[in-house]
Amino acid sequence: MEQTRCVFTPDCKTDAAVITIPGERIASPATVLETNVADIVRLRGDRFADEIRDRFFANFEKTEAAVNAGRADMVDRMVHVSTFLHIGGTIYMTYYANTQTTAEDPNYQTARIVFCPDDRPEEMTYCDVQSVGDICGGRRVNMVYDTILAQCDAHTLLVLWTAKVGDTYYRLCRPFDLDTHTLGDIRVNRFRVGNVENDFSTTGITSALAANGIGIKTMYSDIGIMQKFTSRIEGGERYYYTGTYSGDFNCIIKSRDFVTWEYVSQPDFPNLSKWENAVYLLGDKCYYFVRQHDETPYGFLTSYDLETGEWAQPVLIGDSQSRGDFILFAGELYLFHAPIDREHIGIVRINTENLAKSALVVQAKMHSSCFYPFVQYYDDTSLAMSYTVARQHITLARFSMEDCLK
């Protein structure tokens, strides 16, 4: 694909120096949740693992069967990082894929959206959003990475992904028309801090924060945006909150349109954060979980009060340093994470009044690897989870939260 129209803009000029925030261990956690749990927690986990296996819906990667049926051109040899939505009888799924090698290697990857009827998963349609080698804004796309999905309105989805265009990583986006199932033109996401607005890029983030005198932890490699969006009304307009990250840097961001994102805050206490940071807005608080460097066996849970600007004392949670996700169910907030390795899923019930009283209520040894679980409502009352199996399958399964918590 070639889009020669220029979509990039220069960063706002600033003479301000970048303020680097060092990574340090959390010295005084509110409490520590370990992975050695009671039998009842493991028994609930067995029930959860069985249900995810038994209520399998489909795998969404390109297969030999799809190629032989003429619905795909090449088999996916590696797939990872899923986001799904169930809208009007159709399942929509995004992920990134490698058709060249079995490696998670951004030099060969493609951002993709796939959809199928919710009663006929064998009728999948595959739409490549962008691939390495494409031309974007007159420049070559050299790498493609994290791909997510948002619903803008009743007629439009927005696919958002990371691409290294030329020598710089950007967050890009592209509308997907729900009526015609077609993709629109590529745009660059925007990153705003105070009155400074740049392209959502590695240089744009750094210079916008520096211009506002805000420190930043070390960034490296690609930029991610977390796929769970929660919202509230501010000044008469709805703002959607989530997390963004690159290397050790991670923060809360918000947007009215999923295109322009505004910096909100980042944890103000010493920590060893790294990569993905799950964010869930509930009332005036953003609940926040992030993995840390491998030298510590814990991720940390905290919250940010939007009214007071205060961060809560963090809770350390035993974690294999993988991606987590929040879901609100029956009025209670839960964290899904990887407590031991990526073949385990833990579910923590968050005490929103006192984070130190949060508890691990389910710990499951899954029947397959279960990388990067993403939990979403399948309909008004029931849940489903998409996840990666050994970077070979993008899988969707339904489950009953009530049953697994019994």
Side-chain angles (χ1 to χ4, degrees):
M1 185 195 71
E2 182 168 332
Q3 182 170 312
T4 56
R5 177 178 59 85
C6 184
V7 294
F8 306 105
T9 61
D11 295 338
C12 295
K13 293 183 178 180
T14 178
D15 294 326
V18 175
I19 303 169
T20 302
I21 301 173
E24 300 176 40
R25 284 185 178 272
I26 294 174
S28 301
T31 192
V32 180
L33 302 183
E34 301 285 2
T35 57
N36 52 334
V37 295
D39 288 343
I40 184 62
V41 176
R42 284 192 292 270
L43 288 170
R44 292 191 193 115
D46 292 342
R47 187 184 301 122
F48 175 75
D50 288 349
E51 189 167 13
I52 290 296
R53 176 197 61 198
D54 297 342
R55 298 185 68 187
F56 165 87
F57 173 77
N59 290 326
F60 283 76
E61 71 279 358
K62 288 183 180 180
T63 62
E64 287 284 0
V67 173
N68 292 336
R71 293 184 292 107
D73 52 356
M74 298 179 70
V75 172
D76 287 335
R77 303 182 67 187
M78 188 289 308
V79 289
H80 199 20
V81 183
S82 63
T83 307
F84 78 93
L85 289 169
H86 181 206
I87 305 169
T90 301
I91 303 292
Y92 299 89
M93 182 77 74
T94 55
Y95 57 89
Y96 59 84
N98 185 343
T99 61
Q100 305 300 312
T101 77
T102 57
E104 183 183 355
D105 186 341
N107 292 285
Y108 300 98
Q109 288 171 179
T110 293
R112 181 177 299 141
I113 181 169
V114 181
F115 57 93
C116 67
D118 60 12
D119 58 350
R120 299 187 305 280
E122 68 278 5
E123 297 180 12
M124 288 187 185
T125 300
Y126 305 88
C127 297
D128 288 353
V129 179
Q130 187 178 72
S131 299
V132 170
D134 288 352
I135 300 300
C136 182
R139 308 181 205 169
R140 186 182 189 274
V141 176
N142 292 316
M143 294 184 181
V144 168
Y145 235 127
D146 282 18
T147 307
I148 63 172
L149 185 64
Q151 184 171 9
C152 301
D153 54 48
H155 302 283
T156 312
L157 302 180
L158 195 67
V159 183
L160 306 92
W161 72 99
T162 306
K164 189 175 186 180
V165 185
D167 297 325
T168 305
Y169 269 110
Y170 292 89
R171 287 299 303 191
L172 304 178
C173 57
R174 195 173 181 187
F176 181 83
D177 191 300
L178 287 169
D179 301 318
T180 63
H181 284 165
T182 56
L183 287 159
D185 289 340
I186 293 171
R187 297 179 63 182
V188 182
N189 284 110
R190 304 287 287 170
F191 186 79
R192 180 183 297 160
V193 187
N195 294 321
V196 178
E197 182 176 306
N198 290 332
D199 285 348
F200 204 139
S201 67
T202 42
T203 60
I205 292 169
T206 302
S207 65
L209 290 170
N212 283 270
I214 298 172
I216 183 171
K217 297 179 81 174
T218 303
M219 294 174 62
Y220 43 88
S221 191
D222 61 295
I223 310 165
I225 296 177
M226 293 295 282
Q227 65 266 65
K228 180 61 58 66
F229 304 110
T230 45
S231 66
R232 71 174 190 168
I233 303 297
E234 299 177 3
E237 297 192 74
R238 182 168 297 278
Y239 277 86
Y240 296 89
Y241 282 74
T242 189
T244 190
Y245 53 89
S246 176
D248 297 347
F249 169 68
N250 25 64
C251 70
I252 300 170
I253 53 175
K254 66 178 182 179
S255 177
R256 291 174 291 179
D257 58 6
F258 301 106
V259 176
T260 298
W261 293 92
E262 301 177 29
Y263 172 87
V264 177
S265 186
Q266 60 186 304
D268 60 359
F269 48 83
N271 63 78
L272 290 173
S273 65
K274 183 179 180 181
W275 297 127
E276 298 93 347
N277 54 330
V279 172
Y280 200 99
L281 174 65
L282 201 54
D284 294 331
K285 286 186 179 180
C286 287
Y287 294 87
Y288 189 100
F289 177 78
V290 63
R291 62 201 280 191
Q292 295 193 91
H293 279 260
D294 291 342
E295 61 201 73
T296 172
Y298 305 104
F300 68 84
L301 169 71
T302 181
S303 64
Y304 177 69
D305 192 311
L306 293 168
E307 301 303 313
T308 66
E310 296 178 348
W311 284 89
Q313 187 178 6
V315 171
L316 293 179
I317 299 179
D319 191 78
S320 63
Q321 308 313 350
S322 189
R323 177 184 296 216
D325 187 31
F326 290 105
I327 194 73
L328 185 69
F329 184 81
E332 293 195 277
L333 186 62
Y334 295 90
L335 168 70
F336 283 64
H337 73 118
I340 296 170
D341 54 33
R342 291 181 179 179
E343 295 185 359
H344 284 78
I345 287 183
I347 305 177
V348 178
R349 180 184 286 120
I350 307 300
N351 188 312
T352 55
E353 300 300 319
N354 183 352
L355 291 181
K357 293 184 178 180
S358 301
L360 188 62
V361 294
V362 175
Q363 184 168 284
K365 174 65 170 71
M366 306 301 289
H367 294 291
S368 70
S369 61
C370 207
F371 296 3
Y372 288 15
F374 175 65
V375 181
Q376 185 73 284
Y377 277 87
Y378 187 84
D379 52 34
D380 290 340
T381 58
S382 63
L383 298 173
M385 183 175 75
S386 63
Y387 55 97
T388 307
V389 179
R391 293 186 177 85
Q392 295 178 329
H393 305 293
I394 295 291
T395 303
L396 181 66
R398 299 181 66 181
F399 69 98
S400 166
M401 194 73 162
E402 300 99 327
D403 287 349
C404 77
L405 292 174
K406 286 179 182 176

